[in-house]
Amino acid sequence: MVRRIAQIVHLKPSSIEAYRRCHAAVWPEVLQQIQDCNITDYSIFFDNDRTIFATFKWVGNDWESDMKRMSENPKVREWWAMTDGMQESPISGALSSAEGPGWWKVLEEVFHMD
């Protein structure tokens, strides 16, 4: 099963360079956990205004289980705390990447061509 995911979040203008720097050297533990949770072809784009757009493929069999394992990893949670501080969520009531209704807004796919 392949599931394509697209998400957005807003970047604080004061955090643009810090966000670029940390993503130029993503922690190995975070990269490994992403792979272990069946995420492939992961990219993040910035529109040079304030929106960050991410896209990836999930190729697993149990989304909930994979996302639970992701959120239980201490290094991932540390990474999320760092990057959440650079962002503003478009989700009403969002608390953080680790808590609440979600941090990144998932987008509806309206067209795809292989």
Side-chain angles (χ1 to χ4, degrees), residues 7-79:
Q7 306 170 308
I8 61 169
V9 74
H10 302 300
L11 189 59
K12 293 177 182 175
S14 61
S15 298
I16 293 170
E17 289 311 312
Y19 194 84
R20 288 180 187 273
R21 277 192 309 272
C22 73
H23 282 83
V26 178
W27 302 341
E29 302 92 341
V30 172
L31 294 173
Q32 186 62 55
Q33 187 64 62
I34 290 169
Q35 291 176 352
D36 291 348
C37 289
N38 299 300
I39 292 173
T40 66
D41 197 18
Y42 193 176
S43 296
I44 299 175
F45 300 87
F46 179 51
D47 75 353
N48 292 315
D49 181 21
R50 58 173 293 187
T51 301
I52 301 167
F53 170 78
T55 182
F56 59 88
K57 293 177 184 172
W58 176 73
V59 295
N61 295 313
D62 185 344
W63 170 261
E64 296 300 323
S65 177
D66 282 344
M67 295 307 101
K68 184 176 186 297
R69 282 186 307 138
M70 178 85 70
S71 70
E72 291 174 345
N73 182 309
K75 283 305 261 190
V76 169
R77 290 177 76 90
E78 184 180 348
W79 178 266

